[in-house]
Amino acid sequence: MKNVLILINESSGAVRTLGVKEALTGLAEFIPDMPDVTIANGHPGKLIEAAKKATKESRIDTIITLGGDGTLAAIAGIITNHEISLLPLPGGTMNAFAQDLGFSPDLRTAIAQIPDLEERSVDIAFINEFAFLNNIVFGTYTAVADSREQLRDAEGIVETIDSVTEILGALTHTEIENYRLLVDGTQRNAQTNTIMVANNIYTGAEALRPVRASLSQGDLGLYVASAASTLDFITALTDAVTGNLADSSMIDVGTCKELRIDNESGFLSVTIDGEAMELPAPVNVEIRPKALRVLAPKAVD
């Protein structure tokens, strides 16, 4: 690390808890020899523009991010295939990608890991032009994720109650959709309320978070739930967060390199690394093996 750009999402979970000033103080302690440091902090849009600018400036060799998984994925997508390494500190709430790389979920502890990092190349996945580092989820979960974000940003008891009510409403009004899948060239139909596609397969769970043993196997994990009711959806969700995806009776598990997803409505509700949105159907999903350079704790053999 010689010429570093530090991107801080001030509104992300861990950054709000620790504070921008203390986070920067910690970084200065563990990386004191960097001759050229640029800092940008603010909303995700500002950070994304700063990352785009960095790809056009040959002097930037490392981007350190403190933000949530959604912001991190957008930045990773921008710098993919550029000569820039990503150092993703756990600045958000879930921090799934950073933890699967080997960082501590605690921001202070993760900063202290910086002197012992190594550079390696890992996989990154895309749905159309949008990058994702963890997973994308189609169906009922999108409404839950959208309401969850509103709950996180709620101010006052009234907004909090409204957000909780929306979450409960999403959980109790699951809708079946007819999906058409093209999985590595093979046609498949699915009637379900939940499809998840992961950047590499899930192999277990820690602290109610699905985890991956590797981020460089070059496979998408495809999880299609046999979910037709609210209870089915909750059962499938429970299997996911407890690490029982591979053995779940409610979830069909597979792998692929590329995937096309279509439906009858012409629009797909999808959550991309926790960010809910609606995309015109069909969508194309692919994995790009080892296309992202990261600085991360040394891999354990």
Side-chain angles (χ1 to χ4, degrees):
M1 289 186 291
K2 293 183 179 180
N3 301 299
V4 177
L5 172 62
I6 301 175
L7 301 178
I8 304 175
N9 183 352
E10 296 176 330
S11 64
S12 61
V15 174
R16 286 193 297 183
T17 300
L18 183 61
V20 173
K21 183 177 180 180
E22 186 165 345
L24 288 173
T25 299
L27 285 170
E29 178 182 353
F30 287 100
I31 42 179
D33 299 324
M34 294 184 299
D36 188 355
V37 178
T38 303
I39 300 171
N41 62 79
H43 58 81
K46 179 181 178 181
L47 306 185
I48 289 169
E49 288 304 312
K52 289 179 179 178
K53 183 179 178 181
T55 63
K56 301 173 184 177
E57 297 180 3
S58 58
R59 68 183 185 85
I60 298 294
D61 59 61
T62 304
I63 292 181
I64 299 176
T65 60
L66 290 88
D69 286 316
T71 304
L72 175 60
I75 293 169
I78 292 167
I79 68 172
T80 294
N81 295 324
H82 286 84
E83 297 298 312
I84 299 175
S85 296
L86 181 68
L87 198 171
L89 292 171
T93 303
M94 293 296 292
N95 304 305
F97 183 70
Q99 290 190 69
D100 283 348
L101 282 174
F103 282 102
S104 167
D106 177 73
L107 181 53
R108 290 187 183 89
T109 305
I111 290 173
Q113 291 177 274
I114 288 176
D116 298 318
L117 302 184
E118 66 175 4
E119 184 176 279
R120 45 191 159 112
S121 296
V122 299
D123 304 339
I124 184 171
F126 284 81
I127 172 172
N128 292 353
E129 73 272 23
F130 300 102
F132 65 97
L133 298 171
N134 302 308
N135 59 62
I136 54 176
V137 186
F138 299 87
T140 296
Y141 182 75
T142 303
V144 176
D146 192 35
S147 299
R148 182 199 64 195
E149 290 299 307
Q150 294 179 35
L151 176 61
R152 187 190 70 177
D153 297 331
E155 297 181 0
I157 187 65
V158 174
E159 288 188 9
T160 299
I161 292 173
D162 286 345
S163 297
V164 171
T165 301
E166 286 190 22
I167 291 174
L168 293 174
L171 286 172
T172 55
H173 293 85
T174 61
E175 294 184 4
I176 298 297
E177 284 201 62
N178 295 313
Y179 292 96
R180 296 184 294 274
L181 312 180
L182 189 64
V183 185
D184 285 340
T186 301
Q187 186 72 45
R188 172 183 175 183
N189 295 324
Q191 286 188 317
T192 182
N193 57 27
T194 307
I195 295 175
M196 179 171 69
V197 185
N199 173 22
N200 283 268
I201 62 171
Y202 288 109
T203 53
E206 295 176 2
L208 298 181
R209 179 184 66 84
V211 300
R212 296 158 290 182
S214 174
L215 291 169
S216 55
Q217 291 296 312
D219 288 319
L220 295 168
L222 176 60
Y223 305 89
V224 180
S226 303
S229 67
T230 298
L231 180 59
D232 290 344
F233 172 74
I234 293 174
T235 300
L237 188 61
T238 301
D239 286 337
V241 300
T242 56
N244 293 323
L245 281 170
D247 300 321
S248 174
S249 61
M250 294 299 306
I251 302 173
D252 180 70
V253 180
T255 61
C256 61
K257 304 294 185 184
E258 58 183 15
L259 174 69
R260 185 178 177 91
I261 301 181
D262 201 355
N263 67 355
E264 295 176 340
S265 70
F267 289 91
L268 289 160
S269 296
V270 60
T271 302
I272 304 175
D273 277 350
E275 303 293 330
M277 64 178 66
E278 192 172 72
L279 297 176
V283 295
N284 295 301
V285 186
E286 64 171 339
I287 192 163
R288 300 183 189 176
K290 297 184 178 180
L292 178 65
R293 292 168 49 175
V294 297
L295 290 172
K298 294 179 180 178
V300 179
D301 296 329

